[in-house]
Amino acid sequence: MPTLSDDHQERIRHLLAMSPVMPVITIRRAEQALPLCQALVDGGIRVLEITLRTPEGLDAIRRLRAAMPDDVWVGAGTVVSRHQYRDAEQAGADFVVSPGSTNPLLDFAVTASIPLLPGISTVSELMVGYNLGYRAFKFFPAEVSGGMPALRAFAGPFPDVRFCPTGGVTRELADQYLALDNVVAVGGSWLTPDKLVEAGDWQGVRAHAAEALRTLGPGLRPGKEPE
Ligand code: 3PG
């Protein structure tokens, strides 16, 4: 049975070390993809998760990958099938995020050219990924799956696992999540408030991202690295 390669492990580690926040971005108007993501990058964000929830998502990944410098990572989010995984690879995504974990998706991911940050919400799902070599997961949907108490409880049997909680994580909760020893980043749509995006207020998006990064501080500090 193939397991997670050292290369994928290294890239997931790097991905989580790049930023304490991972914006979950859903592109509803194709023409907004570049200015919106440029505003986030100008605000200091280095990791962009573009969901495949809308038909605009894949094309946005393609265009962003061509437009952004190499030190900005463009990922595909809400990937739920091998077919979408392949599409994300072909579009040039640097990584893939899934909301949950299925055996077919995890089996495909370990042989793919780009790494997966798999979503889990239960210990059993975590164990499936763990046995393939995964030591970092998206915890989704975080707030309704037990939130911070669940993450504290996961640390007992899995002290070597690190998480990026998303789903109901607000700016206000982000600090508290990041204070947990096993949380290295937090994700969510709160970095791209609908009001600012609908108004095309890219200055506002930039300022919001910069403020989040300034006040949240580092997610990955010594001793928190995923193994
Ligand atoms: C995700 O895919 O990570 C979530 O939809 C983000 O959840 P949020 O909108 O509650 O931040």
Side-chain angles (χ1 to χ4, degrees):
M1 182 179 67
T3 53
L4 192 66
S5 65
D6 290 347
D7 173 56
H8 276 208
Q9 280 189 36
E10 184 46 42
R11 281 195 270 164
I12 294 169
R13 198 178 295 133
H14 182 69
L15 168 73
L16 293 170
M18 284 169 84
S19 175
V21 290
M22 192 182 306
V24 176
I25 306 160
T26 298
I27 302 294
R28 297 199 166 78
R29 286 163 53 192
E31 70 277 12
Q32 289 191 326
L34 280 179
L36 168 60
C37 291
Q38 188 63 55
L40 290 168
V41 169
D42 291 345
I45 303 276
R46 287 287 170 273
V47 179
L48 306 166
E49 178 189 332
I50 311 294
T51 74
L52 300 192
R53 286 173 211 184
T54 57
E56 287 80 9
L58 262 188
D59 191 49
I61 291 170
R62 224 171 268 122
R63 287 186 298 127
L64 284 162
R65 189 53 287 158
M68 292 291 167
D70 284 348
D71 66 346
V72 173
W73 278 30
V74 181
T78 322
V79 169
V80 298
S81 68
R82 288 185 285 192
H83 180 77
Q84 284 180 315
Y85 207 121
R86 250 183 247 118
D87 284 348
E89 281 181 305
Q90 281 164 12
D94 295 302
F95 65 95
V96 163
V97 185
S98 62
S101 292
T102 62
N103 284 317
L105 192 69
L106 292 182
D107 288 344
F108 182 81
V110 294
T111 63
S113 63
I114 52 174
L116 172 70
L117 181 67
I120 62 104
S121 64
T122 67
V123 171
S124 301
E125 290 164 343
L126 193 162
M127 284 168 62
V128 174
Y130 191 93
N131 287 327
L132 285 172
Y134 285 95
R135 296 293 181 270
F137 298 89
K138 164 173 169 142
F139 176 45
F140 178 81
E143 274 293 286
V144 296
S145 304
M148 288 174 248
L151 288 164
R152 277 190 209 99
F154 290 162
F158 302 102
D160 53 346
V161 171
R162 299 294 175 262
F163 297 93
C164 174
T166 69
V169 178
T170 59
R171 167 67 192 86
E172 291 66 39
L173 291 172
D175 278 320
Q176 297 170 46
Y177 272 104
L178 283 167
L180 299 181
D181 284 341
N182 58 357
V183 171
V184 287
V186 292
S189 56
W190 56 273
L191 275 146
T192 49
D194 284 345
K195 229 167 104 185
L196 297 180
V197 175
E198 276 156 24
D201 181 356
W202 310 133
Q203 270 306 327
V205 171
R206 188 200 57 75
H208 186 253
E211 172 69 4
L213 282 180
R214 194 181 60 75
T215 51
L216 279 173
L220 199 58
R221 44 175 204 268
K224 279 180 110 182
E225 291 90 354
E227 309 228 328

